[in-house]
Amino acid sequence: MNEPRAGEEPVACARCGRTADTLPITWTCSVENGRREYFCEECARANIRAIEGRLDSSWW
C-alpha cells in the first residue's frame, strides 16, 4: 500500500487541507469510493476510532 504516487505531486490532507511536498510516512492512506485519500498525522490520531471502526473484524 506504500506505492509511489504518480508524478509525486504535493499531497493534501483530505480532512484539514494541510499540505506536504512529499508524502510523510506518518500520514494515513484510505481508499474511499475508489479514490485514494490521505490524512495527516493529527487528523488520523483525532479520528482513529472512526478509522478502525470501518475495518473488518479480521484486522483486529
Side-chain angles (χ1 to χ4, degrees):
M1 181 73 56
N2 214 6
E3 302 164 4
R5 294 175 299 110
E8 291 296 321
E9 298 174 1
V11 62
C13 176
R15 187 157 183 87
C16 72
R18 176 178 287 156
T19 60
D21 290 333
T22 60
L23 183 60
I25 196 164
T26 56
W27 284 33
T28 300
C29 176
S30 174
V31 177
E32 299 182 16
N33 299 318
R35 200 176 86 154
R36 189 176 287 198
E37 295 189 349
Y38 298 94
F39 299 93
C40 70
E41 182 177 359
E42 289 79 15
C43 288
R45 285 180 184 266
N47 296 284
I48 195 70
R49 289 189 189 267
I51 293 168
E52 289 177 340
R54 294 186 307 194
L55 295 174
D56 293 337
S57 60
S58 61
W59 283 90
W60 46 270

